[in-house]
Amino acid sequence: MSNESLPAADGAFSVRIEPSGWRFTAADSMSLREAARQCGIDLPSSCRNGTCRTCMCLLLSGQIRYQIEWPGLSSDEKKAGYILPCIARPQSGLVILEPRATRISR
């Protein structure tokens, strides 16, 4: 297991966004979208509750869980590795493919 997969002492995990290579840390108690925003990265979103699918992206590695029972993904999309970062919470270090991610100007 790589160090990227191991949680920090506070239950947070490293998340890498491809193709940019940007990284942020996400606590297992927070959605990936929220954690990314706190670290200055904007992931596409609209509804922020798992129904609109604006945030849908590909999970390249790692494990997540959802804060709702059935997110707005088909079983085929889930099998293909698609996730909804607006409601996904990390359970390990992650690598996601999201070319639409942008840096937030502060």
Side-chain angles (χ1 to χ4, degrees), residues 81-93:
Y82 287 95
I83 64 168
L84 299 172
C86 73
I87 56 169
R89 296 175 184 219
Q91 297 297 285
S92 71

Side-chain angles (χ1 to χ4, degrees), residues 7-36:
D10 60 0
F13 297 93
S14 173
V15 180
R16 188 175 78 230
I17 303 171
E18 293 298 342
S20 66
W22 296 336
R23 293 176 184 268
F24 65 95
T25 300
D28 58 5
S29 61
M30 182 178 289
S31 77
L32 295 175
R33 181 193 175 276
E34 288 176 278

Side-chain angles (χ1 to χ4, degrees), residues 4-102:
E4 199 168 86
S5 299
L6 299 173
D10 60 0
F13 297 93
S14 173
V15 180
R16 188 175 78 230
I17 303 171
E18 293 298 342
S20 66
W22 296 336
R23 293 176 184 268
F24 65 95
T25 300
D28 58 5
S29 61
M30 182 178 289
S31 77
L32 295 175
R33 181 193 175 276
E34 288 176 278
R37 283 194 64 78
Q38 284 188 358
C39 295
I41 299 170
D42 190 34
L43 299 176
S45 69
S46 185
C47 72
R48 293 183 219 108
N49 66 20
T51 58
C52 78
R53 302 163 42 95
T54 298
C55 66
M56 189 168 84
C57 67
L58 193 59
L59 178 65
L60 299 176
S61 68
Q63 299 291 316
I64 56 103
R65 71 176 170 85
Y66 287 108
Q67 57 194 69
I68 62 171
E69 190 171 323
W70 181 253
L73 294 171
S74 71
S75 59
D76 287 340
E77 289 167 334
K78 284 175 137 182
K79 286 178 191 171
Y82 287 95
I83 64 168
L84 299 172
C86 73
I87 56 169
R89 296 175 184 219
Q91 297 297 285
S92 71
L94 305 174
V95 179
I96 61 174
L97 177 62
E98 181 47 272
R100 302 171 298 165
T102 58

